Amino acid sequence: MLLSGQWSCRITNGSDRDYTLPASVPGCGHTDLLAAGILKDIYWRDNAETCQWVEACDVTYTRRFAVADPAAYDGITFDGLDTYCTVTLNGTVIGVSDDMFVPLE
């Protein structure tokens, strides 16, 4: 699959929290922070409250890949994107989403 492989996730809130870490796709900032040991188990005691800061962060996923025939990937569908997101390819915006329940094509 074109998009499988090693991803990177940058999580930042513009001030005191800035992380760049390996990421899993599909996934989310919370699961990547859990895997890196930055967040503790969010289902234990009051840990869900201590990780609410993630909701105020910008999360950017990146991955490098080579495409032999770009026409073969015309019509890629992105499912499960966050409510508000922008998808770019080589610095060019190829899609904008404002509803996580509607696939971006």
Side-chain angles (χ1 to χ4, degrees), residues 81-100:
L81 296 174
D82 202 354
T83 302
Y84 299 105
C85 71
T86 302
V87 178
T88 62
L89 179 62
N90 297 332
T92 301
V93 174
I94 62 171
V96 177
S97 176
D98 61 4
D99 187 339
M100 70 183 295

Side-chain angles (χ1 to χ4, degrees), residues 48-97:
E49 294 175 14
T50 64
C51 71
Q52 288 182 347
W53 60 268
V54 180
E55 297 170 18
C57 291
D58 289 329
V59 180
T60 303
Y61 285 87
T62 57
R63 172 166 161 51
R64 291 187 169 272
F65 54 91
V67 176
D69 179 14
Y73 299 101
D74 190 28
I76 292 177
T77 300
F78 297 89
D79 288 317
L81 296 174
D82 202 354
T83 302
Y84 299 105
C85 71
T86 302
V87 178
T88 62
L89 179 62
N90 297 332
T92 301
V93 174
I94 62 171
V96 177
S97 176

Side-chain angles (χ1 to χ4, degrees), residues 11-28:
I11 301 170
T12 182
N13 70 356
S15 59
D16 61 336
R17 308 221 190 226
D18 191 356
Y19 301 98
T20 301
L21 21 119
S24 296
V25 172
C28 70

